Amino acid sequence: FPVTIQPAKNKLFIKTIPGDKLKSVVVTDIAGKTLRMELKDPMQIDVSSLMRGDYIIKIETDKSTTMKKLQVQ
């Protein structure tokens, strides 16, 4: 599914295709360490506690899973 990830400062907003149910969102550092995991239906993630830099975000819906680069400013 298409996901657009914008650079984030405090909150990351997630928008999925209508009809897809968001199952989980996992934020990891570049080394693969899990920093945040949301297991409910998170349409926004608070990233204010993360240091500036690049992270990987894994987004799972009831239909597919995708991984994207997340830049925290």
Side-chain angles (χ1 to χ4, degrees), residues 2-13:
V3 175
T4 302
I5 303 295
Q6 302 289 334
K9 288 186 180 184
N10 296 314
K11 294 200 183 286
L12 169 67
F13 295 92

Side-chain angles (χ1 to χ4, degrees), residues 26-35 56:
V26 179
V27 178
T28 62
D29 62 15
I30 298 299
K33 179 181 176 186
T34 298
L35 303 174
I56 302 296

